Amino acid sequence: QSVLTQPPSASGTPGQRVTISCSGSYSNVGDNYVYWYQQLPGTAPKLLIYRNNERPSGVPDRFSGSKSGTSASLAISGLRSEDEADYYCSSWDDSLNGVVFGGGTKLTVL
Amino acid sequence: QVQLVESGGGLVKPGGSLKLSCAASGFTFSDHYMNWIRQAPGKGLEWISLISVSGTTIYYADSVKGRFTISRDNARNEVYLQMSSLRAEDTAVYYCARRDLAELARFGSWGQGTLVTVSS
C-alpha cells in the first residue's frame, strides 16, 4: 500500500488530454513539493515535473503539474504514442522522514 | 555528463548479505545527497535510504531499517548499500539516484539499476 494514491491505469487517444491524480496527506503533499517521474518500459525513471509544476529542460510543455492542498495532478496534452509509460508522483513525508511514492499509473495510448 | 553506475547485484539466499555500489561521474559528487530506490518486479518505486554530503545525516525506510546500511566515499565518488538479513521481498532492481539541490524528493539523475534476487 503506497503512501500516495494514484489510479493504477489511465488511457487516451493520440491528441487527447489526460490527467493523472496523486492524493496524499498534510505530512507529504500538503506540506512539501510534489515531483513526477516517467518510466518508459525497461528504463530507469526520469524526472518529469519538479516543485509541483516546473519542467526540467528538455521536457515538452505538453506535460504540466499542479497541486492543491493534499492532492496533485499531472496533465499530458496532445497525447503521443511515446507517452505510453508508467508515471509516479512523489514527495517528502515529514512524519516518516523519507521520500514517498505513489503506486504508479500505467498510461496507455489507444 | 552525469553518470551513475550501480554494481554488486546478484542472486543471494534468504538471510544472506550483499553490498551494492554506485559509481558517480560527471558532477561534483561531494555536493549532492545520494539515495537508493528500489523496484520489485512488476511493482512501483520504493525509496530505501538517503545519505547527506558528509554522511552525517542518514534516513532509512522502515522496511529496511536495521538491516541495510548506506555509506559513501567522497574520495572515490561512490555510494554504497550494505544489505543483510535479506528476504525474498527484497528482490528488486536497486537504483541509486542523485538528489538535486536542496529539494528533498527531486531526483534528476538515476543509474541504470542493478538486480538483486533473494531466493533459495
Side-chain angles (χ1 to χ4, degrees), chain B residues 10-118:
Chain B
L11 176 63
V12 61
K13 288 181 167 54
S17 298
L18 206 59
K19 185 174 184 177
L20 306 183
S21 300
C22 171
S25 61
F27 65 99
T28 304
F29 180 73
S30 57
D31 283 349
H32 291 267
Y33 280 49
M34 296 298 294
N35 291 254
W36 286 96
I37 296 162
R38 70 183 179 184
Q39 185 170 34
K43 302 296 185 184
L45 301 171
E46 180 188 15
W47 173 83
I48 294 301
S49 182
L50 73 79
I51 185 167
S52 64
V53 295
S54 63
T56 53
T57 298
I58 288 174
Y59 291 124
Y60 297 100
D62 286 345
S63 58
V64 305
K65 203 172 292 183
R67 300 187 300 123
F68 290 11
T69 301
I70 191 171
S71 61
R72 66 189 294 161
D73 185 334
N74 287 341
R76 290 178 171 269
N77 290 348
E78 292 186 341
V79 60
Y80 310 101
L81 187 68
Q82 176 69 52
M83 305 184 294
S84 60
S85 302
L86 284 162
R87 308 165 180 165
E89 53 265 35
D90 294 319
T91 294
V93 172
Y94 285 73
Y95 296 101
C96 69
R98 187 190 80 171
R99 196 185 84 173
D100 288 346
L101 305 176
E103 298 183 40
L104 298 171
R106 178 176 171 178
F107 306 122
S109 302
W110 299 64
Q112 85 288 350
T114 187
L115 176 63
V116 172
T117 302
V118 183

Side-chain angles (χ1 to χ4, degrees), chain A residues 6-50:
Chain A
Q6 297 179 237
S9 63
S11 64
T13 56
Q16 263 190 334
R17 181 178 187 271
V18 298
T19 61
I20 298 171
S21 62
C22 174
S23 178
S25 65
Y26 182 76
S27 64
N28 42 67
V29 174
D31 199 38
N32 292 285
Y33 287 128
V34 173
Y35 302 81
W36 290 91
Y37 296 89
Q38 177 193 57
Q39 187 175 33
L40 298 171
T43 68
K46 167 191 165 185
L47 180 66
L48 202 62
I49 296 288
Y50 66 96

